[in-house]
Amino acid sequence: MDWEAFLLSIELGIGTVLGLAPIALWAGRALAYRDFRGKGFVEALVALPLLLPPTVVGFYLLVAFGRHSPLGQAVEALTGQLLAFSFEGLLIASILVNIPFAFQPVQRAFEAIEPSVREAGAVSGLTPWQVFLRIELPLAWPGMVTGLVLTFAHTLGEFGVVLMVGGSIPGETRTIAIAIYDRVQAFDDRSAGIMAATLLALSIAALGITNTLSRRIGRRRG
Amino acid sequence: MAEPVLAAELRQEAPIPLDLGFALHPGEVTALFGASGAGKTTVLRCLAGLYRPRTGRIRCGGETWFDSDADLWLPSHRRRIGLVFQDYALFPHMTAEANVAAALGHLPRAQRAARARALLALVHLQDFASRRPAELSGGQRQRVAVARALAREPEVLLLDEPFSALDRAVRVALYAEIEALRARLACPIVLVTHDFEEVARLADRVLVLEDGRIIAEGDVGAISARADLPIIAAAAEAGSVLDATLVETLAARRLSVLDTAAGRLVAPVIDAAPGARLRVRIPARDVILADRAPEGLSVHNALAGTVAAVEPRAGGLADLLVAVGAARLRAQVTEDAVSRLGLAPGRPVVALVKSVAVTRPGA
């Protein structure tokens, strides 16, 4: 078991969840309630990482983070460090790749709230902010948590993007999924097996949590 | 008449045509009646601040809620209104008590729970305060919605087809509940409905809507006599609606005697105290016209009057209006009877009404 890789993966997962949570809350709600030009295009864009091969996403991010892109140059000028092959770059890549996993459950959760229930809040004298805090959030939070649990589990398992953007630098960019691959390459099937089983258990736990939460919503709407 | 509590003028051409103005008076139940798509609910949503029409004005209790000239639009949460939604729209994650308390934001926090319980008691739900909406029946949900709408001490209470999702037995019980409430409320009530029974039972005044316009308005008795309005003529079991006062109930004979503008009427026992004010309806097809009062018939009610109008109907039928006292009674007879009896405006007739035909709407 490569504990360093395991902890790095957990760190990356938590960082991705914390970074995505506010964005997903804002964007998921906006996609659920607002109508704007190009909404269909934005929704397709959000779903794009689901369809694109991770190596393709990783390739473009690598180019964008690299020394020859304006973004890469700007970051290097500011921090003296390149985004490519760094934990920070990995974190940004992870946030981008997980957008569909986080946004869509949040959007569905806000969409599932009957419009008349939100209107009833306004008619009952609640300000828009109070409607958000007291009606929308309590009804949508299972969707929020589902999105974030999926994001976390998906981050642990992401392979292609991590390999392209981060490589396999121990303690910096070697996540557990990469470590499994390395161990198999080194014919160390025992270590690979333990780590694979750990990921499997975590994924099953994540599914259990999301299922329980969606049942909870179902019961409340009864 | 007292100063109106609310005066509204709403106009736009699209997407939903609106072209109407009306006023609401204290203690009065105004029904917005019409087919679906007539704009009833949209009018209600305008009053509630949930839909902004292109042009118009809404003034309520000295405050302007909407004035398109001044580009003024008060959002819902700043209008003192109570709205009972068609699907009740209770907050699913809150108990009945919390649903009501959520609308008590104008009270100090410490007073809200007690006030919420008092409002639930008003709708006879004190024992259900800790239930969530999913654990309540349809009728109970409706009553929570009514309690929540009253919580804000609204200047206007708006009811959007509040009975349409309920089965008949529950509905009748809730009619009585709403009747009891309106006696205690000083604010005007607006009832949106496509069911004329509800209008006949609960409303004082009717605005008949079609394509966003008011095609007729008046008190319920007058509107129910408008055989020229297809929607009224088509209303289930078209008939006359009369305001009545219960004179006495003859327990031994299982009959009640009523005082109406058409004179004394005998009806099957009505469960109300002497002096109670109520409405009765007489289906047009249950009225028999004769040229003199008969003898030896079982019929209790023989009302002398004169024919006011004759409207031919499809299928060899005719709708007649008979002026009896200050009331207008609708009668439906065959064309054949019209010609045999020579029924024409001005002809004196006796309207015969079986006591069993005299019923309370929605009973």
Side-chain angles (χ1 to χ4, degrees):
Chain A
M1 181 79 179
D2 184 344
W3 283 106
E4 196 180 40
F6 181 75
L7 288 178
L8 186 80
S9 279
I10 299 283
E11 222 173 294
L12 185 64
I14 291 174
T16 305
V17 164
L18 291 182
L20 257 181
I23 310 172
L25 179 60
W26 176 81
R29 184 177 179 278
L31 286 172
Y33 293 152
R34 292 211 201 134
D35 241 334
F36 50 88
R37 274 165 67 102
K39 183 172 173 177
F41 179 72
V42 171
E43 281 180 313
L45 205 63
V46 163
L48 195 61
L50 285 181
L51 294 173
L52 229 45
T55 42
V56 173
V57 179
F59 172 73
Y60 283 121
L61 288 175
L62 186 61
V63 170
F65 290 168
R67 190 159 279 140
H68 302 295
S69 86
L71 175 71
Q73 285 164 1
V75 172
E76 195 176 19
L78 275 174
T79 64
Q81 196 195 336
L82 260 188
L83 276 177
F85 307 112
S86 74
F87 181 78
E88 289 73 21
L90 207 54
L91 183 60
I92 293 173
S94 175
I95 287 177
L96 291 174
V97 170
N98 274 296
I99 279 179
F101 293 93
F103 279 25
Q104 288 183 350
V106 176
Q107 182 183 352
R108 301 289 165 259
F110 278 104
E111 278 172 352
I113 301 172
E114 293 284 336
S116 62
V117 168
R118 298 169 59 219
E119 290 175 347
V123 168
S124 298
L126 303 181
T127 63
W129 183 240
Q130 286 173 321
V131 170
F132 174 69
L133 286 181
R134 297 178 55 188
I135 315 285
E136 294 174 15
L137 264 193
L139 289 173
W141 82 263
M144 282 287 297
V145 175
T146 300
L148 297 178
V149 168
L150 285 179
T151 297
F152 184 77
H154 180 244
T155 305
L156 295 190
E158 180 57 51
F159 180 78
V161 174
V162 177
L163 195 63
M164 292 293 283
V165 174
S168 177
I169 305 167
E172 182 73 23
T173 62
R174 184 194 280 170
T175 63
I176 188 162
I178 306 284
I180 292 173
Y181 179 73
D182 281 354
R183 289 297 88 209
V184 171
Q185 293 271 295
F187 299 104
D188 182 1
D189 285 359
R190 206 183 103 78
S191 295
I194 293 173
M195 289 190 275
T198 310
L199 274 194
L200 180 66
L202 282 172
S203 299
I204 290 174
L207 281 178
I209 293 174
T210 55
N211 268 337
T212 311
L213 285 173
S214 53
R215 255 206 311 279
R216 209 188 152 103
I217 310 178
R219 205 169 42 234
R220 196 151 54 194
R221 292 184 195 287
Chain B
M1 195 173 262
E3 273 285 289
V5 174
L6 182 146
E9 216 181 291
L10 310 167
R11 302 195 201 283
Q12 70 175 18
E13 275 165 27
I16 303 160
L18 289 174
D19 183 13
L20 74 171
F22 57 89
L24 304 174
H25 297 276
E28 213 176 43
V29 179
T30 303
L32 295 181
F33 176 69
S36 52
K40 310 181 294 282
T41 295
T42 306
V43 170
L44 213 61
R45 291 174 62 80
C46 291
L47 298 184
L50 299 172
Y51 183 85
R52 181 175 182 165
R54 206 60 54 78
T55 58
R57 254 154 302 284
I58 302 173
R59 289 188 56 79
C60 180
E63 223 184 357
T64 302
W65 286 357
F66 171 45
D67 187 343
S68 53
D69 291 339
D71 197 26
L72 187 138
W73 175 256
L74 212 61
S76 295
H77 67 274
R78 292 182 50 204
R79 304 184 183 193
R80 265 188 38 213
I81 23 148
L83 171 56
V84 176
F85 288 78
Q86 190 168 358
D87 62 358
Y88 316 135
L90 298 179
F91 308 132
H93 57 304
M94 295 185 190
T95 63
E97 184 182 312
N99 261 278
V100 178
L104 289 169
H106 57 288
L107 291 185
R109 206 169 281 273
Q111 294 175 20
R112 290 181 200 163
R115 179 80 186 122
R117 279 195 293 274
L119 283 158
L120 285 176
L122 187 69
V123 294
H124 306 112
L125 281 180
Q126 57 274 37
D127 299 333
F128 298 86
S130 54
R131 297 257 190 113
R132 297 214 174 161
E135 302 160 338
L136 295 170
S137 72
Q140 289 166 340
R141 284 182 212 179
Q142 194 242 35
R143 286 189 277 163
V144 174
V146 169
R148 184 179 67 183
L150 293 175
R152 280 192 92 185
E153 290 160 42
E155 285 179 283
V156 186
L157 179 62
L158 309 170
L159 310 173
D160 187 6
E161 309 231 9
F163 307 104
S164 61
L166 302 170
D167 56 47
R168 196 173 166 80
V170 180
R171 216 184 293 178
V172 171
L174 287 170
Y175 287 160
E177 194 112 0
I178 296 280
E179 273 172 337
L181 268 181
R182 64 161 292 202
R184 311 176 48 148
L185 289 179
C187 71
I189 300 176
V190 181
L191 171 70
V192 160
T193 179
H194 61 261
D195 182 350
F196 199 75
E197 284 231 326
E198 276 169 34
V199 176
R201 175 78 186 241
L202 298 169
D204 298 303
R205 212 160 58 93
V206 200
L207 308 179
V208 183
L209 259 60
E210 198 179 276
D211 294 329
R213 285 175 305 115
I214 296 172
I215 55 166
E217 66 177 298
D219 66 60
V220 174
I223 292 291
S224 70
R226 290 282 300 271
D228 59 312
L229 296 175
I231 187 158
I232 300 292
E237 298 177 70
S240 321
V241 179
L242 299 172
D243 283 308
T245 308
L246 188 73
V247 178
E248 57 178 336
T249 290
L250 310 168
R253 293 172 60 193
R254 316 256 325 126
L255 294 172
S256 289
V257 181
L258 302 163
D259 218 355
T260 73
R264 287 268 157 122
L265 285 177
V266 175
V269 165
I270 289 174
D271 184 20
R277 301 180 56 80
L278 44 94
R279 286 251 171 76
V280 291
R281 204 191 48 195
I282 302 172
R285 57 180 60 201
D286 287 345
V287 176
I288 297 166
L289 298 179
D291 53 7
R292 65 194 129 77
E295 282 165 24
L297 283 186
S298 66
V299 80
H300 276 107
N301 303 303
L303 310 164
T306 49
V307 175
V310 181
E311 282 285 325
R313 286 271 161 257
L317 298 175
D319 278 338
L320 278 80
L321 275 184
V322 181
V324 181
R328 305 209 139 196
L329 218 55
R330 281 176 71 178
Q332 192 170 60
V333 298
T334 57
E335 294 259 29
D336 177 66
V338 172
S339 56
R340 261 191 306 122
L341 289 177
L343 298 174
R347 185 187 193 302
V349 285
V350 176
L352 306 177
V353 182
K354 293 168 72 171
S355 57
V356 294
V358 181
T359 55
R360 295 182 82 178

